[in-house]
Amino acid sequence: MAFDYKKEYKEFYMPKNKPSIVKIPKMNYIAVKGKGNPNQEDGEYKKSIGLLYAIAFTIKMSYKGDYKIEGYFDYVVPPLEGFWYQEGMKGTIDYNKKESLEFISLIRLPDFVTEKDFLWAKEEATKKKNTDFSKVEFLTYEEGLCVQCMHIGSYDEEPKTLELMHELMKEEGYEMDITEKRYHHEIYLSDPRRVSVDKLKTVIRHPIKKG
């Protein structure tokens, strides 16, 4: 059976819809940076998703070709994630100004995938799909201490969940620590094309530090 990160690391991918404090270790990602309204059909965000999945599945299916990744095992491609921020906004997101959103779209890589393997996949996808993958990066990121919660429903209703998260954060003696290197983080467990808005599942994280 294929290794499923959501099932094996439930504390990171399947939290309860009640806020909790968690420490996230260093992980490697496929990443694409961009800006703009994520709902725009031909916008940077939706294009970034296509680029991410092309590389992710090139790596996943590599065992069928001549290139062999050391330590490879069968796995389910982890869920799409995103770091979100806005210039001039300290610690919050203005959901009414989506056109000014900046993002880093992400898909986690298995630990056995090295930067060398990633570069091979990037070159392989470029040849096979005749597409420009120059925006795609190999990102190593240690998120550290965070408050997180499962949000169920519309993305525009996230502030309600964030309020609960921040209440717990303060009760436990922490303060928010969103900076130029620590971000509002979302993990998308539902496909909005197939799930009704009121049932969308999104893990939300905010970085924190001791107050």
Side-chain angles (χ1 to χ4, degrees):
M1 185 177 292
F3 186 92
D4 190 335
Y5 285 84
K6 296 191 301 297
K7 293 178 180 177
E8 299 297 331
Y9 296 100
K10 289 183 178 179
E11 69 271 33
F12 302 147
Y13 297 101
M14 301 295 289
K16 297 177 181 178
N17 57 343
K18 179 181 178 182
S20 60
I21 306 295
V22 64
K23 188 172 185 179
I24 312 298
K26 184 185 292 184
M27 301 179 191
N28 293 328
Y29 297 90
I30 311 166
V32 178
K33 297 176 183 176
K35 183 175 181 178
N37 188 332
N39 299 321
Q40 186 179 335
E41 278 304 320
D42 60 345
E44 288 186 36
Y45 179 69
K46 293 198 174 179
K47 289 177 181 177
S48 77
I49 295 173
L51 296 174
L52 288 178
Y53 277 107
I55 301 296
F57 278 98
T58 298
I59 293 170
K60 175 178 167 58
M61 304 308 292
S62 62
Y63 71 94
K64 291 190 172 184
D66 296 330
Y67 186 87
K68 303 301 178 185
I69 298 176
E70 186 176 350
Y72 180 96
F73 55 77
D74 190 22
Y75 64 98
V76 177
V77 172
L80 176 69
E81 308 185 34
F83 295 148
W84 296 91
Y85 50 101
Q86 284 168 312
E87 189 174 348
M89 299 291 288
K90 294 184 178 181
T92 58
I93 294 288
D94 188 339
Y95 288 77
N96 295 314
K97 295 182 178 179
K98 294 186 177 68
E99 68 282 352
S100 66
L101 283 168
E102 297 186 56
F103 63 83
I104 305 174
S105 290
L106 309 154
I107 292 179
R108 180 181 179 176
L109 286 168
D111 292 341
F112 59 73
V113 178
T114 65
E115 187 167 6
K116 176 186 173 186
D117 300 323
F118 163 80
L119 291 172
W120 165 82
K122 190 172 174 178
E123 184 178 344
E124 185 76 0
T126 300
K127 287 189 294 186
K128 288 191 172 181
K129 297 185 177 296
N130 193 28
T131 300
D132 181 9
F133 286 92
S134 59
K135 286 187 174 182
V136 187
E137 304 173 19
F138 180 90
L139 174 68
T140 300
Y141 190 78
E142 187 169 359
E143 195 164 15
L145 201 61
C146 296
V147 58
Q148 72 175 10
C149 189
M150 180 73 79
H151 171 75
I152 299 176
S154 166
Y155 304 128
D156 290 336
E157 293 179 356
E158 287 181 4
K160 295 177 183 177
T161 298
L162 289 171
E163 190 174 333
L164 296 175
M165 290 165 56
H166 294 167
E167 284 176 8
L168 175 72
M169 171 187 76
K170 292 173 183 175
E171 287 171 6
E172 297 291 331
Y174 295 98
E175 60 185 48
M176 194 158 54
D177 191 33
I178 289 180
T179 67
E180 291 181 355
K181 294 183 179 180
R182 303 189 78 198
Y183 312 98
H184 172 102
H185 186 178
E186 300 182 1
I187 304 175
Y188 308 105
L189 302 178
S190 306
D191 185 340
R193 298 169 299 179
R194 299 175 183 172
V195 177
S196 61
V197 171
D198 61 314
K199 293 182 180 177
L200 289 173
K201 289 185 177 180
T202 308
V203 180
I204 306 177
R205 281 192 202 136
H206 271 182
I208 57 175
K209 63 182 179 180
K210 268 294 183 184

